[in-house]
């Protein structure tokens, strides 16, 4: 017994190291655990409060420039709204003629970005709205320029948005011009590609990719990015690189669409896929 | 005694806050290089107080970082814990002089390379990045930049005299 005690005492540093390493590995492998998510939500919520206050500091210096840009954007958007109203009326008339059901308008929640990471490989935004503002996990996040990402975590007053510069976010997309489908991937440092594009597909530099109807997570038609490089990846597929429609470096405000993935569709697709 | 621990808790809180909120000031975003102030403090504690205190401090600092960053929980804890343990190897009467000399930078670099290696190897699982890319683009630049910024500490404390027992 004394020998064991001496042995433990002699190797206590290594035993503690092994213990801490095991704890770390357990934590790494249980990242999706509900309790861990709960603790993370509390940490993010507390830290978000501090960051929310600090986020105003740099804005003080940029207010004049920002106001000018906002005024210009406002005029441009007012024109666009006017054009869109006209288009909507025309669209309603055509839909009625074709006897289609009118798609319901989606409500939005506006949110301010209180923190963002752009240089990691799993980048996120921290938003100043949470469950108290009806934000739910899975809701898409957009700006007037296009797709930003989706909500992956929400506490009472803050939420985390997984952006397209994040390896874990895959989005079904298609080109607006030639309707070629693909899957949006984050390849790592600043590179966003579209995979599963056949070699023979009509995709050229300058084409705009938008969200596809195949996606259960995002409404169709949201601009995602413009093709900057289109070459051959191998004998079957193209290598397509895109520039995101949203300028993530400058964006400060986003909109959360009050749309959550269709559970029925998710369930039936999951059952079908698990059966294969 | 309470103030003694409070001092360290306060220092780590400030460094974690700095690392999380104002890191963009020190980042070289074109090359995805960000310094890590927390690891410098963990290495300091490791040299000053030994392996056990070094790795336990690293572990808890890492847990807090992981909770705030929103990435893998436990990953920073693992890498900081190993860094604190390694730094503890330099903890004896003679090598404590390292704390105030340029040798400190060498220890920071070694611990940083090992910690960043562990961190990025696990972090990039599933990416198309090759092993050499991870080393050249992430591990070495991040470690070198962290070491470079930790030289500020060495410059500040260069003239500090330490009373070490004979």
């Amino acid at each position: 017994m004394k020998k064991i005690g001496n042995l433990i005492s002699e190797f206590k540093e290594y035993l503690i190291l092994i213990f801490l390493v095991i704890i770390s590995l357990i934590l790494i492998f249980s990242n999706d655990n509900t309790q861990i998510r709960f603790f993370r939500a509390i940490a993010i919520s507390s830290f978000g409060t501090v960051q929310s206050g600090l986020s105003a500091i740099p804005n003080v210096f940029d207010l004049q420039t920002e106001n000018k840009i906002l005024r210009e954007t406002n005029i441009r958007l007012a024109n666009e709204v006017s054009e869109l109203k006209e288009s909507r009326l025309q669209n309603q008339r055509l839909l009625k003629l074709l006897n289609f059901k009118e798609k319901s308008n989606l409500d939005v929640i506006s949110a301010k970005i209180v923190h963002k990471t752009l240089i990691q490989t799993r980048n996120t935004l921290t938003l100043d709205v949470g469950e108290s503002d009806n934000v739910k996990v899975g809701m898409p996040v957009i700006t007037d320029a296009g797709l930003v990402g989706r909500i992956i975590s929400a506490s009472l007053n803050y939420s985390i948005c997984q952006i397209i510069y994040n390896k874990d976010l895959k989005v079904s997309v298609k080109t607006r011009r030639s309707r070629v489908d693909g899957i949006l991937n984050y390849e790592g440092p600043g590179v966003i590609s579209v995979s599963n594009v056949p070699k023979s597909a009509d995709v050229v530099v300058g084409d705009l990719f938008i969200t596809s109807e195949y996606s259960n997570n995002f409404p169709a038609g949201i601009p995602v990015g413009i093709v900057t490089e289109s070459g051959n990846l191998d004998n079957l597929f193209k290598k397509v690189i895109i520039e995101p429609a949203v300028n993530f470096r400058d964006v400060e405000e986003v909109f959360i669409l009050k749309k959550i993935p269709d559970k029925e569709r998710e369930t039936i697709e999951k059952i079908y896929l698990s059966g294969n | 005694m309470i103030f003694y621990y409070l001092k360290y808790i306060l220092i780590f809180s400030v460094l974690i806050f700095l690392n999380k909120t104002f890191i963009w000031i020190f980042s070289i975003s074109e090359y995805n290089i960000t310094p890590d102030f927390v690891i410098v403090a963990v290495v300091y504690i490791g040299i000053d107080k030994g392996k056990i205190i070094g790795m336990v401090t690293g572990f808890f600092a890492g847990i807090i970082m992981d909770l705030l960053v929103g990435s893998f929980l436990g990953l920073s804890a693992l890498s900081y814990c190993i860094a604190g343990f390694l730094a503890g190897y330099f903890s004896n009467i003679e090598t404590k002089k390292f704390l105030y000399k340029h040798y400190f930078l060498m220890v920071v670099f070694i611990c940083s390379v090992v910690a960043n290696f562990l961190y990025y190897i696990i972090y990039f699982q599933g990416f198309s990045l090759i092993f050499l890319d991870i080393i050249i683009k992430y591990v070495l630049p991040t470690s070198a930049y962290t070491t470079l910024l930790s030289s500020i500490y060495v410059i500040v404390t260069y003239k500090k005299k330490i009373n070490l027992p004979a």
Side-chain angles (χ1 to χ4, degrees), chain B residues 3 18 38-39 70 76 90 104 126:
Chain B
F3 287 109
L18 193 72
V38 181
I39 206 165
S76 299
F90 296 88
F104 176 66

Side-chain angles (χ1 to χ4, degrees), chain B residues 1 27 39 45 51 67 69 80 118 131:
Chain B
M1 194 66 176
S27 296
I39 206 165
I45 299 280
K51 292 192 193 90
L67 277 171
V69 168
Y80 287 167
L118 268 173
F131 181 76

Side-chain angles (χ1 to χ4, degrees), chain A residues 12-14 16-17 20-25 27-29 31 36 39-40 43-44 47 50-51 54 57-58 115 117-124 126 152 167 186-190 249, chain B residues 16-17 20-22 24 27 29 32-34 51-52 55-56 59 63 66-75 77-78 81-82 85 89 119-120 122-129 138:
Chain A
K12 65 179 176 191
E13 291 165 346
Y14 296 95
I16 294 170
L17 177 70
L20 293 177
V21 168
I22 290 170
I23 297 281
S24 303
L25 291 174
L27 287 172
I28 291 170
F29 288 111
N31 263 251
I36 285 177
F39 281 118
R40 179 162 280 167
I44 289 166
F47 207 65
V50 180
Q51 286 178 326
L54 288 169
I57 297 170
H115 185 253
T117 57
L118 296 177
I119 54 177
Q120 303 291 326
T121 42
R122 288 179 170 84
N123 295 303
T124 53
T126 307
I152 54 162
K167 182 197 169 295
Y186 180 46
E187 295 286 338
R249 294 210 179 276
Chain B
I16 289 169
F17 181 75
K20 177 82 171 79
T21 309
F22 294 111
W24 55 271
S27 296
S29 50
N32 297 303
I33 302 171
T34 50
K51 292 192 193 90
I52 295 176
M55 64 186 155
V56 171
F59 179 80
I63 288 281
D66 287 332
L67 277 171
L68 298 175
V69 168
S71 184
F72 288 117
L73 183 68
L75 190 51
L78 177 70
C81 170
I82 301 286
F85 180 76
Y89 271 104
Y119 185 91
Y120 285 117
I122 298 173
Y123 191 80
F124 282 117
Q125 284 303 306
F127 277 81
S128 53
L129 279 169
Y138 292 92

Side-chain angles (χ1 to χ4, degrees), chain B residues 86-152:
Chain B
L86 264 182
Y89 271 104
F90 296 88
S91 176
N92 60 53
I93 301 300
E94 279 305 305
T95 51
K96 273 185 185 175
K97 291 172 185 171
F98 282 7
L99 288 175
Y100 304 103
K101 290 190 175 179
H102 62 275
Y103 298 112
F104 176 66
L105 301 181
M106 183 193 75
V107 186
V108 169
F109 184 71
I110 293 169
C111 296
S112 223
V113 166
V114 174
N116 282 319
F117 176 79
L118 268 173
Y119 185 91
Y120 285 117
I121 284 292
I122 298 173
Y123 191 80
F124 282 117
Q125 284 303 306
F127 277 81
S128 53
L129 279 169
I130 58 167
F131 181 76
L132 205 64
D133 263 359
I134 296 174
I135 302 288
I136 294 170
K137 289 184 183 170
Y138 292 92
V139 177
L140 292 178
T142 306
S143 306
Y145 193 44
T146 300
T147 310
L148 184 73
L149 287 187
S150 67
S151 64
I152 296 168

Side-chain angles (χ1 to χ4, degrees), chain A residues 57-116:
Chain A
I57 297 170
N59 290 353
V60 174
F61 305 105
D62 297 333
L63 274 180
Q64 206 171 1
T65 325
E66 196 183 332
N67 275 343
K68 187 173 175 283
I69 294 167
L70 283 174
R71 274 197 297 271
E72 286 168 5
T73 313
N74 198 24
I75 294 164
R76 188 170 52 78
L77 288 176
N79 285 333
E80 277 180 24
V81 167
S82 165
E83 283 171 17
L84 284 171
K85 273 182 184 167
E86 192 57 38
S87 303
R88 186 171 175 272
L89 289 171
Q90 190 185 31
N91 193 25
Q92 278 175 341
R93 285 199 303 273
L94 291 170
L95 284 171
K96 206 177 274 179
L97 281 172
L98 290 166
N99 205 19
F100 281 130
K101 283 181 183 174
E102 185 188 349
K103 286 183 181 173
S104 60
N105 289 324
L106 292 163
D107 287 337
V108 294
I109 304 160
S110 71
K112 190 180 171 194
I113 299 168
V114 292
H115 185 253
K116 59 181 160 186

Side-chain angles (χ1 to χ4, degrees), chain A:
Chain A
M1 199 65 180
K2 198 181 173 185
K3 275 185 182 177
I4 295 169
N6 287 340
L7 207 66
I8 290 172
S9 172
E10 197 179 336
F11 292 104
K12 65 179 176 191
E13 291 165 346
Y14 296 95
L15 292 173
I16 294 170
L17 177 70
I18 291 165
F19 174 73
L20 293 177
V21 168
I22 290 170
I23 297 281
S24 303
L25 291 174
I26 290 170
L27 287 172
I28 291 170
F29 288 111
S30 54
N31 263 251
D32 286 331
N33 188 295
T34 321
Q35 281 93 345
I36 285 177
R37 282 189 177 183
F38 172 73
F39 281 118
R40 179 162 280 167
I42 292 173
I44 289 166
S45 180
S46 321
F47 207 65
T49 312
V50 180
Q51 286 178 326
S52 158
L54 288 169
S55 66
I57 297 170
N59 290 353
V60 174
F61 305 105
D62 297 333
L63 274 180
Q64 206 171 1
T65 325
E66 196 183 332
N67 275 343
K68 187 173 175 283
I69 294 167
L70 283 174
R71 274 197 297 271
E72 286 168 5
T73 313
N74 198 24
I75 294 164
R76 188 170 52 78
L77 288 176
N79 285 333
E80 277 180 24
V81 167
S82 165
E83 283 171 17
L84 284 171
K85 273 182 184 167
E86 192 57 38
S87 303
R88 186 171 175 272
L89 289 171
Q90 190 185 31
N91 193 25
Q92 278 175 341
R93 285 199 303 273
L94 291 170
L95 284 171
K96 206 177 274 179
L97 281 172
L98 290 166
N99 205 19
F100 281 130
K101 283 181 183 174
E102 185 188 349
K103 286 183 181 173
S104 60
N105 289 324
L106 292 163
D107 287 337
V108 294
I109 304 160
S110 71
K112 190 180 171 194
I113 299 168
V114 292
H115 185 253
K116 59 181 160 186
T117 57
L118 296 177
I119 54 177
Q120 303 291 326
T121 42
R122 288 179 170 84
N123 295 303
T124 53
L125 305 177
T126 307
L127 309 178
D128 70 343
V129 287
E131 282 166 353
S132 58
D133 306 284
N134 292 323
V135 174
K136 290 185 175 63
V137 171
M139 285 182 170
V141 181
I142 60 165
T143 69
D144 56 331
L147 185 69
V148 172
R150 67 170 177 170
I151 301 294
I152 54 162
S153 177
S155 63
L156 196 63
N157 296 313
Y158 294 93
S159 51
I160 301 288
C161 167
Q162 182 181 52
I163 60 174
I164 57 174
Y165 281 117
N166 189 313
K167 182 197 169 295
D168 298 332
L169 183 65
K170 310 279 181 203
V171 186
S172 285
V173 291
K174 67 179 178 189
T175 53
R176 192 163 67 178
R177 181 182 61 84
S178 51
R179 321 305 279 180
V180 174
D181 294 303
I183 296 168
L184 189 85
N185 296 300
Y186 180 46
E187 295 286 338
V191 181
I192 294 182
S193 72
V194 177
S195 61
N196 288 16
V197 177
K199 199 178 164 184
S200 58
D202 178 17
V203 178
V204 293
V205 172
D207 271 349
L208 174 70
F209 268 98
I210 56 174
T211 49
S212 149
E213 292 85 354
Y214 297 152
S215 172
N216 187 27
N217 296 314
F218 303 99
I222 302 171
V224 177
I226 290 167
V227 178
T228 55
E229 192 185 322
S230 175
N232 291 334
L233 181 68
D234 51 36
N235 288 335
L236 294 172
F237 296 106
K238 270 191 168 174
K239 181 189 178 187
V240 179
I241 305 293
I242 66 162
E243 175 77 31
V246 175
N247 183 348
F248 283 91
R249 294 210 179 276
D250 298 340
V251 69
E252 288 178 5
E253 301 268 353
V254 292
F255 297 102
I256 301 166
L257 296 179
K258 281 188 179 174
K259 173 200 182 293
I260 48 172
D262 186 342
K263 292 284 172 200
E264 188 184 340
R265 182 178 160 182
E266 231 173 44
T267 313
I268 197 168
E269 283 178 351
K270 208 173 273 180
I271 291 168
Y272 175 75
L273 289 171
S274 62
N276 282 298

